[in-house]
Amino acid sequence: MLMRWEPFSEMNSLQREINRLFSDTMKREGTGSGEFVTRSWAPSVDVIEKENEIVVKAELPGMEQKDIDVHLEDNQLTIKGERKLEKEDKGENYIRQERVYGSFYRSFTIGSGIQADKVNASYKSGILEIVLPKEEKVQPKKIEIK
């Protein structure tokens, strides 16, 4: 699938990623060392192109559907949301805390030829699946000369 290169779209995407990196908060590493480290997370995503559709699968374990937003605008698919801390244990002293919480933002240029009104998203067992049907291509027709 050929996609027309749009430099401003690439710059906007880069700017959003830079903004996301700088907006992540400092979190305490729970080792008792008092060190602060920058922690951010972004879900792992697979983008699969099939004959009639593009399928995007994102791993979002531990999230609720209501905390996930999906938008398609100008051939740009955006997935954003927030994984919230399950509960705050004020009396707990963590030995180690590796699970990361907070906001995330992923954006992908899908290309033209998507039937936006037929895009479908589902969320099951921590996997968000977005199906983007491609527009039907008009097949060339041979015209017989009489």
Side-chain angles (χ1 to χ4, degrees), residues 69-83:
D69 286 323
V70 178
H71 294 280
L72 178 66
E73 183 176 345
D74 296 330
N75 299 325
Q76 194 81 15
L77 177 68
T78 302
I79 305 169
K80 63 181 179 176
E82 182 177 4
R83 183 161 51 188

Side-chain angles (χ1 to χ4, degrees), residues 4 21 56 61 65 73 96 103 106 108-109 112 126:
R4 194 173 90 204
L21 287 172
V56 178
Q65 186 173 330
E73 183 176 345
R96 184 163 190 87
S103 298
R106 297 293 309 263
F108 307 93
T109 300
S112 60

